[in-house]
Amino acid sequence: MSAAATGVGSLPGGDAREAAKTVTGSFEEFPYLAELPARGPGADMIGRSLGLLVDMYAHVEPSGWRISDRPGRDSKRARSWLGEDLDALEEFTQGYTGKLKVQAVGPWTLAGALELHGGEAMLQDPGACRDLAGSLAEGLREHLADVRKRIPGADVVLQLDEPSLTAVLLGRVRSASGYRTYRAVDRQVVEGTLRDMFAVHDGDVVVHSCAPEVPFALLRRAGATGVSFDFSLLTEREDDAIGEAVEGGTKLFAGVVPGTDAPLSDPGGSVMGVRKLWRRLGLAPGTLAESVVVTPSCGLAGASPAYARAVQAHCVRAARSLADNPE
């Protein structure tokens, strides 16, 4: 069993074909649909996901994305770039069979980032949050169907980016003025919304967050089959939750390689922390390769193109090292 490696989502640059070529060349066994935020609003993580919404629209204001009454050029641009990226990926995955990851922002991070007409985040209005989640679920269904039609041999993995999830649960999301924070959202409401969102896909659903204190247990209860995180932010406080997740069959997408230009150690050194974690948790080393997917610590949009290419190749070698020398 060889350990897998894949990317998180974003890459530097603005050329869709170049990105698709790099991704499919680096991750022959687990490519992903790259995001290229350098193209501008609508290619960013939030704008791209707002472009997926059904019967709900948004436009760019100086303060960020705001809800609109009708589709405007910002949401049209987001859709058009997504189409361009899918065309490029389709071209480089002719005849491909195997895992393929697509990413979208999850409902809670989206609710913290999208402004209502008055400028406050949608997060403060429970009814608006429900509508947003419903619209996103519908859009994701259509998007996933489109991906399956274009790349019929793919076993599609859906990644929901939720970097603000912990802040939403702990009441740390700042208001428009920045002087106060929105009230924490009830854990059961958060979990229920995520459970409904995961249900749109009958394959694997991974939740990604490169923030500290990822709520592993909540994500597992909601039905996530994998959790993607920045490995350097883990503390021993999370040991029990991680041990239970692994024993329950949850895959760990371990972000072990820096997402911005930094010296790269040898590939074995990059996964040393994962081996140590396994020993600390008393898990069988033989399960490492099937439980762990090696990734960069976060998206690579802030990296140089040369570093982004090097990191992806490095992740593949680090995954191989994990499989070959689990001890």
Side-chain angles (χ1 to χ4, degrees):
M1 168 84 188
S2 71
T6 189
V8 172
S10 65
L11 285 177
D15 183 334
R17 285 188 78 251
E18 183 57 35
K21 188 177 160 190
T22 301
V23 164
T24 52
S26 304
F27 300 115
E28 290 169 14
E29 293 173 15
F30 202 162
Y32 62 98
L33 177 65
E35 298 162 2
L36 303 170
R39 290 183 294 200
D44 59 302
M45 185 171 107
I46 299 293
R48 190 183 186 83
S49 299
L50 292 173
L52 292 172
L53 298 178
V54 172
D55 297 330
M56 202 180 248
Y57 315 102
H59 65 277
V60 178
E61 290 276 334
S63 54
W65 286 90
R66 187 169 292 185
I67 199 91
S68 303
D69 299 323
R70 61 186 71 82
R73 73 160 191 251
D74 295 329
S75 39
K76 284 184 186 145
R77 197 188 292 132
R79 280 179 178 272
S80 138
W81 274 326
L82 178 60
E84 201 178 291
D85 295 338
L86 282 165
D87 289 345
L89 188 65
E90 187 179 353
E91 180 189 336
F92 287 98
T93 49
Q94 293 295 310
Y96 175 74
T97 54
K99 290 202 180 295
L100 168 77
K101 183 164 70 69
V102 297
Q103 307 82 224
V105 177
W108 293 107
T109 296
L110 216 49
L114 181 58
E115 297 173 357
L116 294 163
H117 291 296
E120 289 296 341
M122 207 168 241
L123 191 62
Q124 72 166 17
D125 180 337
C129 286
R130 275 193 300 276
D131 292 346
L132 179 65
S135 171
L136 179 62
E138 202 47 51
L140 280 173
R141 247 185 225 106
E142 291 175 11
H143 177 46
L144 291 163
D146 183 25
V147 173
R148 280 192 291 260
K149 196 168 79 212
R150 287 164 175 267
I151 310 163
D155 167 12
V156 181
V157 174
L158 171 63
Q159 173 181 307
L160 290 172
D161 294 318
E162 280 284 15
S164 305
L165 186 60
T166 303
V168 166
L169 289 164
L170 299 177
R172 291 182 186 157
V173 178
R174 296 214 160 274
S175 66
S177 66
Y179 293 124
R180 58 186 186 87
T181 52
Y182 297 114
R183 189 182 299 127
V185 180
D186 182 272
R187 294 186 86 82
Q188 276 162 320
V189 173
V190 169
E191 192 181 316
T193 303
L194 289 173
R195 188 175 295 113
D196 293 346
M197 197 60 63
F198 300 165
V200 307
H201 184 44
D202 52 12
D204 287 330
V205 179
V206 176
V207 174
H208 168 72
S209 168
C210 37
E213 300 172 73
V214 175
F216 287 93
L218 180 146
L219 293 172
R220 220 179 85 229
R221 284 196 306 272
T225 55
V227 182
S228 166
F229 56 97
D230 179 343
F231 194 83
S232 70
L233 297 176
L234 282 188
T235 64
E236 293 194 14
R237 282 203 304 274
E238 278 124 332
D239 277 7
D240 289 350
I242 289 180
E244 280 166 26
V246 171
E247 283 168 350
T250 305
K251 270 204 188 310
L252 302 183
F253 285 64
V256 294
V257 190
T260 48
D261 294 39
L264 293 173
S265 70
D266 69 295
S270 293
V271 284
M272 187 67 78
V274 181
R275 292 193 187 96
K276 281 188 182 141
L277 172 71
W278 241 243
R279 281 202 291 274
R280 211 164 67 220
L281 297 176
L283 295 165
T287 61
L288 259 173
E290 65 218 41
S291 300
V292 175
V293 178
V294 176
T295 72
S297 59
C298 216
L300 297 170
S304 66
Y307 180 78
R309 280 193 300 275
V311 160
Q312 305 204 72
H314 186 90
C315 286
V316 173
R317 288 197 296 271
R320 204 168 296 140
S321 143
L322 208 49
D324 295 346
N325 314 304
E327 308 276 352

